[in-house]
Structures are given as C-alpha cells and as structure tokens.
Amino acid sequence: MTGSYSNATYRLYDDNADFQKKAQGIAVGLTVGSWTELPEAAKEQMQKHLGQVVSVEVHEPEGVQPGERYADITIAYPDVNFSRDIPAFLVTAFGKLSMDGKIKLLDIAPSADFLSAFPGPKFGVQGVRDLLGVHDRPLVMSIFKSVIGHDITNLREQFLQQALGGVDLIKDDEILFENPLTPLEERVKACMSAAREAEQITGQKLLYFTNLTGSTFQLKANAKRAIAAGANGLLFNVLAYGFDALAELAADPEINVPIAAHPAMAGALYPSLHHGISAPLLLGKLMRIAGADLSLFPSPYGSVVMPRDENLAVMEALLTPSLPQKPSFPVPSAGIHPGLVPLIMGDFGPEVVVNAGGGVHGHPGGSADGGRAFRQAVDAVKAGLTLEQYATDHEQLRIAIERWGVRTS
Ligand code: 1AE
C-alpha cells in the first residue's frame, strides 16, 4: 500500500456471511465501486483509490448461538478519496454502509495527514484549568434547571445561587433556546454579572457555558454575539448539527472560549449492539478531533446509564496522548449527586468534571448548598477520607448524604 490511508473498524453480525468476501465488498464498494471487471489499464489508474482490507477477525466460538456470530473488520480508505472534513470521511466509511445489515462503526484511525486538518480543542483540559486557575482537583459543574418560562431576573438569581456554592462551571440546560424571556445577550450579561458578584464572595473564577443555538448558518454569528456580550464558554448540541459545525466553530480564531459538547441525540446512535457508532468514537474521539474542550456523556452510575467499560473507553479517547489534538475534559453526567463523587474520582482520576443538575438544585438547603456539598465531596476524596468521615464537620455534605446516600460500587 502506498500513499496515505485512514482506517475504519466495524463489527458485523451475520450467522452465515463469508466475512472475508464481505470485507472485500466494503473495501471496493465504498471506494472505486467495482474492481474485477475493470480493464488492466484502468486498474493501474484506480489502484490508488482502492480501499484495502486490513484485517478480518471472525468471532465464532464453538457452540456459537444464532445471532452471536460476528467479525471485526478493518478497512483502509485512501485519503486521496475524501476532503479533509469529518463528513467526508464519515460518509465514505459509514454512509451507505451504516444501513447495510447489522453493522456498527467501532473506531476510526485517521491518517496523520487527515488529523492535521483539525486544530481540535482550543483550550482542552489544561487550558480550561488555566482559565479557572484550578489545577489540583476535579472541576465541578452545575447545570441550570427549570429555565423554560423563567425571566432574566429569575435566571440571574438561579445563576447566583449556583455560583455561590463554589462550582467552577455552570452550563445552560441544553433545551434553553433563543426565546423572548431570556434572549442570548441579555442572558449572558445577567449571568456574567452574577458570576462577578459571586466571585467577590467566593474568590473563585467561573466559566458560564451558554447554549449556542440557532440555524447552522447563524451559529458563528450567534457565538460571536454571545462572546461580545461577555460569554466565557459555549455549550453546543453537536450531534443535532453535525461534527463539522463543531469543527468550524472550534477553528474560528474569534471564538476564543471553551466549547462544551452536549450529547443530546447520542442515544439514537451508540447504544445498539448491531447499529450506529460506538460511544468512545462518537462521544470521545470525534468530539475531540472536532474541537470539544469538554465532552458530556452518560455515566455508569446515574440516571441515564452507560456501561462502565464503555464509559472508561470514552474517557480514554478524550485523554489519550496518541492524538495530536489537545485532550478534552471527560464529563460523566446525568443523575450525579455528591454520594457518587468517590466512584467518579476512583474511575476517572483527577482529569474529570463532576457535573450535576438535580444533584445541585435538589439539595434540601438549596442550590448554593448543593454546590458546596459537591466541593466538600471532592475535598473528602482528595483528603483520603470517606464522605461520611468528612461529613461529620461539613454540614452541606452531611445533608446531601442524608438525601441521596453514598454509593461505593
Ligand atoms: C448526559 C447529559 C446530562 C445533562 O445534560 C443533564 O441536564 C443532566 O441533569 P441531571 O444532573 O441528571 O439533573
């Protein structure tokens, strides 16, 4: 094989297929279309465009039951066939093929040349930490809840309460769109003024990820309007718009604030055994290549559950030094409460954002106490103490434990 290739690995379930033949069919069908029928002269010319079968690993143990036989197939696609953007590669490697039987895209290994087209996250883990001046512990993020139907005064008060609890990051709810009660610029100004007010008291910096919405062609302008109004972070529903929209935003030098990728719609794409795109690729590698500084995904512990091994694979894809793009912060989310912090820190280590909505606002003492309870839980784990031990002289944590309990496994 000469030239540069980008690989894709699939898991294909079929009780009877000749997987080697199937792999050849993919390699040819998704590149030059047909091969054996080509005259020799044409073959020479088309060779550099022809996909190659890299490997076919058949899983067919003795006594394999109907529905369980599969093969992991890796195909190398010539880079010369597609432009340097994520849609071009995805359509090549998993366009029509995504609809052709029980097939799931497990992973991609883009060439160095392809990857070099993507600046990736502007800030990444280190950059976000630098903005906040926090380098010695996991970050804590709070999610706005009960936002629809509320006005700016109400929103500001909610923001202030969250900020007073000592969280590092606050994100809009992903379902908060442009609306007459809390329009983008007013929302940003009000929340950032609350952030400054809280900083006077807590001495702590804060990033506010305002939800970037609107039609695709308005996104850049809206992002710049938000930034001009003072936004120091953006939340983005990547999968509703496509990875290219994120890549374009992340590559724009004027959009100089971190971007948090929300996983809305991911459930339509990754959970099936037989179809879609694996979670580590969808919410890990592709988010990072496209430029997410933080990537949110369901945790193994909360209300929307992703299996632990898959979860840790998402984390690995976001943090691995094997990609040229800066590492993105993993943000395991959904149903997180302070009693889960030891598990999160045990599984994810220090480079994680502990993110909660209900777990902050549902604290019996209110949202500020909710944030405090999370910070205390992080401090407890850092100090090598159990939450129960630390809670003996940390009231907000004690009350949170009473409310939600502590999970140890
Ligand atoms: C996986 C995304 C989680 C999210 O966006 C969200 O709003 C979670 O809310 P809680 O923490 O479950 O209340």
Side-chain angles (χ1 to χ4, degrees), residues 93-117:
F94 205 48
K96 202 167 58 175
L97 185 60
S98 69
M99 298 171 267
D100 189 7
K102 290 182 178 168
I103 186 161
K104 184 163 182 174
L105 180 60
L106 294 184
D107 198 10
I108 59 170
S111 66
D113 183 67
F114 185 83
L115 285 174
S116 71

Side-chain angles (χ1 to χ4, degrees), residues 141 143-145 171-175 235 237 261-264 296-299 302-304 331-337 355-361 374:
M141 173 147 79
I143 308 167
F144 256 121
K145 288 288 164 185
K171 81 162 190 70
D172 271 344
D173 205 355
E174 73 283 0
I175 54 169
L235 177 73
N237 289 306
H262 194 278
L296 280 68
F297 48 91
S299 79
S303 54
V304 182
V331 192
S333 305
I336 302 299
H337 58 74
N355 180 32
V360 169
H361 305 290
F374 271 103

Side-chain angles (χ1 to χ4, degrees), residues 174 176-178 211-215 218-219 222 235 237 241:
E174 73 283 0
L176 183 62
F177 301 101
E178 194 57 0
N211 198 18
L212 176 61
T213 65
S215 69
Q218 281 300 315
L219 286 173
N222 290 349
L235 177 73
N237 289 306
Y241 288 94

Side-chain angles (χ1 to χ4, degrees), residues 174-212:
E174 73 283 0
I175 54 169
L176 183 62
F177 301 101
E178 194 57 0
N179 72 91
L181 282 173
T182 50
L184 180 66
E185 280 139 314
E186 276 188 51
R187 182 165 95 228
V188 168
K189 284 179 189 158
C191 290
M192 291 309 294
S193 99
R196 286 188 293 276
E197 186 180 330
E199 190 179 340
Q200 299 293 314
I201 298 162
T202 62
Q204 195 183 312
K205 290 202 176 73
L206 208 152
L207 295 175
Y208 166 44
F209 291 84
T210 192
N211 198 18
L212 176 61

Side-chain angles (χ1 to χ4, degrees), residues 62-378:
E62 207 170 308
V64 67
Q65 296 298 306
E68 290 179 350
R69 179 176 181 266
Y70 68 79
D72 288 343
I73 293 174
T74 298
I75 306 291
Y77 294 96
D79 281 349
V80 68
N81 287 5
F82 44 86
S83 45
R84 298 296 176 262
D85 54 87
I86 294 174
F89 183 52
L90 286 182
V91 171
T92 298
F94 205 48
K96 202 167 58 175
L97 185 60
S98 69
M99 298 171 267
D100 189 7
K102 290 182 178 168
I103 186 161
K104 184 163 182 174
L105 180 60
L106 294 184
D107 198 10
I108 59 170
S111 66
D113 183 67
F114 185 83
L115 285 174
S116 71
F118 300 91
K122 273 200 191 76
F123 296 86
V125 170
Q126 199 53 43
V128 170
R129 286 193 175 285
D130 290 346
L131 289 174
L132 292 165
V134 176
H135 294 96
D136 58 348
R137 60 168 170 80
L139 302 181
V140 176
M141 173 147 79
S142 172
I143 308 167
F144 256 121
K145 288 288 164 185
S146 313
V147 283
I148 290 183
H150 292 267
D151 63 12
I152 287 287
T153 311
N154 195 298
L155 207 72
R156 187 185 188 284
E157 181 54 27
Q158 272 202 55
F159 190 100
L160 184 62
Q161 288 307 314
Q162 294 172 81
L164 288 172
V167 299
D168 306 290
L169 319 150
I170 296 179
K171 81 162 190 70
D172 271 344
D173 205 355
E174 73 283 0
I175 54 169
L176 183 62
F177 301 101
E178 194 57 0
N179 72 91
L181 282 173
T182 50
L184 180 66
E185 280 139 314
E186 276 188 51
R187 182 165 95 228
V188 168
K189 284 179 189 158
C191 290
M192 291 309 294
S193 99
R196 286 188 293 276
E197 186 180 330
E199 190 179 340
Q200 299 293 314
I201 298 162
T202 62
Q204 195 183 312
K205 290 202 176 73
L206 208 152
L207 295 175
Y208 166 44
F209 291 84
T210 192
N211 198 18
L212 176 61
T213 65
S215 69
T216 307
F217 292 112
Q218 281 300 315
L219 286 173
K220 278 195 175 193
N222 290 349
K224 289 171 195 178
R225 277 173 51 218
I227 292 165
N232 58 4
L234 295 170
L235 177 73
F236 189 48
N237 289 306
V238 177
L239 300 174
Y241 288 94
F243 285 105
D244 193 52
L246 172 59
E248 284 287 311
L249 294 166
D252 188 323
E254 289 175 45
I255 300 177
N256 54 357
V257 299
I259 301 174
H262 194 278
M265 286 178 43
L269 293 166
Y270 76 79
S272 163
L273 186 65
H274 297 130
H275 300 282
I277 301 178
S278 75
L281 175 57
L282 187 76
L283 300 170
K285 193 180 276 187
L286 284 168
M287 288 295 186
R288 177 172 169 189
I289 293 171
D293 296 282
L294 300 89
S295 177
L296 280 68
F297 48 91
S299 79
Y301 336 99
S303 54
V304 182
V305 176
M306 182 192 291
R308 185 171 174 275
D309 54 344
E310 240 175 294
N311 225 247
L312 299 185
V314 175
M315 172 187 73
E316 168 67 15
L318 293 169
L319 295 177
T320 175
S322 66
L323 279 176
Q325 286 77 18
K326 286 181 185 146
S328 317
F329 250 122
V331 192
S333 305
I336 302 299
H337 58 74
L340 295 171
V341 169
L343 279 180
I344 296 173
M345 288 173 69
D347 280 342
F348 284 81
E351 301 304 17
V352 68
V353 176
V354 177
N355 180 32
V360 169
H361 305 290
H363 191 287
S367 305
D369 276 3
R372 289 182 190 110
F374 271 103
R375 287 291 308 276
Q376 290 164 6
V378 168

